[in-house]
Amino acid sequence: MAVKDVTDSDFKEAVLNADKPVIVDFWAPWCQPCKRIAPVLEQFSEDRDDVEFVKINVDDNPTTTLNYSITSIPTVARFEGGEITQQAVGALPKAQLSQQLGL
Protein backbone atom coordinates (compact mmCIF):
# COMPACT_ATOMS: atom_id res chain seq x y z
CA MET A 1 0.00 0.00 0.00
CA ALA A 2 1.35 3.41 -0.89
CA VAL A 3 1.25 6.57 1.17
CA LYS A 4 -1.82 8.49 -0.03
CA ASP A 5 -2.16 12.26 -0.36
CA VAL A 6 -4.84 13.94 1.73
CA THR A 7 -6.02 17.56 1.80
CA ASP A 8 -7.86 19.90 4.14
CA SER A 9 -11.12 18.85 2.47
CA ASP A 10 -10.74 15.08 2.97
CA PHE A 11 -8.62 14.99 6.15
CA LYS A 12 -11.60 14.38 8.44
CA GLU A 13 -12.86 11.43 6.44
CA ALA A 14 -9.44 9.91 5.68
CA VAL A 15 -7.83 10.39 9.10
CA LEU A 16 -10.22 11.39 11.87
CA ASN A 17 -12.99 8.97 10.87
CA ALA A 18 -10.68 6.06 9.98
CA ASP A 19 -11.41 2.72 11.61
CA LYS A 20 -7.73 1.96 12.17
CA PRO A 21 -4.69 4.01 13.18
CA VAL A 22 -3.45 6.53 10.59
CA ILE A 23 0.12 7.79 10.28
CA VAL A 24 0.09 11.34 8.86
CA ASP A 25 3.22 12.84 7.31
CA PHE A 26 3.08 16.65 7.43
CA TRP A 27 5.53 17.67 4.69
CA ALA A 28 6.36 20.16 1.91
CA PRO A 29 8.03 19.64 -1.48
CA TRP A 30 10.91 22.02 -0.68
CA CYS A 31 11.75 20.25 2.62
CA GLN A 32 14.88 18.12 2.25
CA PRO A 33 14.42 16.22 5.56
CA CYS A 34 10.87 15.40 4.39
CA LYS A 35 12.32 13.83 1.25
CA ARG A 36 14.67 11.72 3.39
CA ILE A 37 11.91 10.12 5.47
CA ALA A 38 9.40 9.64 2.63
CA PRO A 39 10.97 6.32 1.48
CA VAL A 40 10.95 5.07 5.09
CA LEU A 41 7.23 5.80 5.39
CA GLU A 42 6.62 4.13 2.02
CA GLN A 43 8.44 1.04 3.34
CA PHE A 44 6.33 1.02 6.51
CA SER A 45 3.19 1.30 4.37
CA GLU A 46 4.27 -1.76 2.37
CA ASP A 47 4.91 -3.78 5.53
CA ARG A 48 1.84 -2.82 7.58
CA ASP A 49 -1.77 -3.30 6.59
CA ASP A 50 -3.13 -2.65 10.09
CA VAL A 51 -2.23 1.04 9.79
CA GLU A 52 -3.06 3.61 7.08
CA PHE A 53 -0.35 5.97 5.84
CA VAL A 54 -1.13 9.40 4.40
CA LYS A 55 0.74 12.63 3.73
CA ILE A 56 -0.44 16.22 3.68
CA ASN A 57 1.37 19.12 2.05
CA VAL A 58 1.50 21.87 4.70
CA ASP A 59 1.82 24.66 2.11
CA ASP A 60 -1.32 23.62 0.24
CA ASN A 61 -3.36 22.69 3.33
CA PRO A 62 -2.93 25.42 5.97
CA THR A 63 -6.16 24.70 7.86
CA THR A 64 -5.17 21.20 8.98
CA THR A 65 -1.60 22.34 9.63
CA LEU A 66 -2.84 25.12 11.94
CA ASN A 67 -5.45 22.90 13.62
CA TYR A 68 -2.70 20.59 14.84
CA SER A 69 -0.14 23.33 15.57
CA ILE A 70 2.41 21.89 13.15
CA THR A 71 5.36 24.30 13.31
CA SER A 72 8.21 22.05 12.16
CA ILE A 73 8.38 19.61 9.28
CA PRO A 74 8.65 16.80 8.83
CA THR A 75 6.20 16.02 11.59
CA VAL A 76 4.77 12.52 11.52
CA ALA A 77 1.78 11.90 13.76
CA ARG A 78 -0.17 8.78 14.68
CA PHE A 79 -3.92 9.37 14.88
CA GLU A 80 -6.22 6.95 16.66
CA GLY A 81 -9.89 7.65 17.27
CA GLY A 82 -9.50 11.11 15.75
CA GLU A 83 -6.72 12.19 18.15
CA ILE A 84 -2.93 12.38 17.93
CA THR A 85 -1.59 9.61 20.15
CA GLN A 86 2.09 9.71 19.15
CA GLN A 87 4.28 12.10 17.20
CA ALA A 88 7.79 12.34 15.78
CA VAL A 89 9.44 15.54 14.56
CA GLY A 90 12.44 15.67 12.23
CA ALA A 91 14.13 13.28 9.84
CA LEU A 92 14.59 10.45 12.31
CA PRO A 93 16.18 7.07 11.53
CA LYS A 94 13.78 4.22 10.73
CA ALA A 95 14.14 2.52 14.12
CA GLN A 96 13.50 5.74 16.03
CA LEU A 97 10.50 6.62 13.84
CA SER A 98 9.11 3.14 14.41
CA GLN A 99 9.52 3.44 18.17
CA GLN A 100 8.04 6.96 18.44
CA LEU A 101 5.05 6.06 16.24
CA GLY A 102 4.34 2.63 17.72
CA LEU A 103 5.04 0.76 14.50
Side-chain angles (χ1 to χ4, degrees):
M1 235 196 242
V3 177
K4 298 182 295 191
D5 284 296
V6 295
T7 64
D8 282 344
S9 61
D10 64 359
F11 188 84
K12 182 176 181 183
E13 183 179 337
V15 177
L16 304 182
N17 294 341
D19 56 1
K20 57 183 168 181
V22 182
I23 303 297
V24 180
D25 178 16
F26 291 88
W27 73 288
W30 49 264
C31 168
Q32 291 303 316
C34 297
K35 292 178 182 178
R36 283 201 299 277
I37 68 162
V40 174
L41 295 173
E42 288 286 344
Q43 189 175 27
F44 282 137
S45 76
E46 300 289 328
D47 297 342
R48 302 286 301 262
D49 53 7
D50 59 327
V51 180
E52 292 285 330
F53 289 82
V54 301
K55 60 184 179 177
I56 186 164
N57 182 326
V58 297
D59 290 339
D60 295 342
N61 300 283
T63 302
T64 302
T65 303
L66 286 171
N67 285 349
Y68 293 97
S69 303
I70 303 301
T71 56
S72 297
I73 56 172
T75 292
V76 183
R78 180 184 181 112
F79 283 78
E80 293 182 78
E83 301 288 328
I84 293 178
T85 57
Q86 292 169 288
Q87 187 168 298
V89 179
L92 302 174
K94 183 179 180 180
Q96 198 172 351
L97 256 175
S98 176
Q99 180 184 23
Q100 288 193 12
L101 297 172
L103 295 173

